[in-house]
Amino acid sequence: MTTHPHPVDHELVEAAAHVARTRCRGDNHTVAAAARAGDGRIITAVNAYHFTGGPCAELVVIGAAAAQGAYELETMVAVGDRDRGVIPPCGRCRQALLDYFPALKVIVGTGERLRAVPVGDLLPESYVWHDHQLDA
């Protein structure tokens, strides 16, 4: 695990919080996520809850970013509706984020204890999908 803290992107946290406050409605959309693209843009999205396991907000951000031509994401954060604040990614999202963006930083923690950590720190001793692919 890393011992060097990364600066917290507070603009990113506020972008996710704004979407959570203004776009999350009812039980189908309860979490918003925001990601900082390599070119500086902020991409936002909300989860699409479904009893079959609909995608979390972090996964929707990946698709939204690709649809906007942003293929490199540097930092991501998720924020719960009803002022629940920053929430950590679930295990499925941690693995997907690591596979798509191994250098990604994820903002976790609460209040004054927010911190940006490498996604790999959220999955120590993790399986890295790319490492197990056959070379073309």
Side-chain angles (χ1 to χ4, degrees):
M1 292 186 31
T2 187
T3 58
H4 301 92
H6 298 278
V8 172
D9 186 337
H10 291 285
E11 182 183 19
L12 198 62
V13 175
E14 181 48 41
H18 175 75
V19 171
R21 279 190 309 273
T22 61
R23 301 291 184 245
C24 288
R25 300 277 191 263
D27 293 337
N28 292 330
H29 309 292
T30 58
V31 176
R36 174 85 59 188
D39 62 8
R41 285 183 287 165
I42 294 177
I43 312 295
T44 60
V46 298
N47 70 315
Y49 175 79
H50 191 263
F51 74 91
T52 60
C56 296
E58 296 93 335
L59 298 183
V60 179
V61 164
I62 293 172
Q68 296 177 43
Y71 298 101
E72 297 299 324
L73 300 181
E74 296 179 347
T75 307
M76 188 176 293
V77 65
V79 173
D81 67 347
R82 298 173 305 227
D83 296 318
R84 290 184 289 144
V86 171
I87 58 175
C90 73
R92 177 179 69 167
C93 287
R94 291 174 192 216
Q95 185 66 57
L97 293 172
L98 178 65
D99 290 341
Y100 273 83
F101 310 104
L104 183 75
K105 292 176 289 304
V106 179
I107 299 172
V108 296
T110 59
E112 297 298 315
R113 297 179 50 99
L114 285 181
R115 60 198 184 284
V117 299
V119 67
D121 284 8
L122 299 177
L123 278 173
E125 303 296 325
S126 61
Y127 175 88
V128 179
W129 180 78
H130 185 268
D131 292 346
H132 301 280
Q133 301 308 299
L134 297 175
D135 292 328

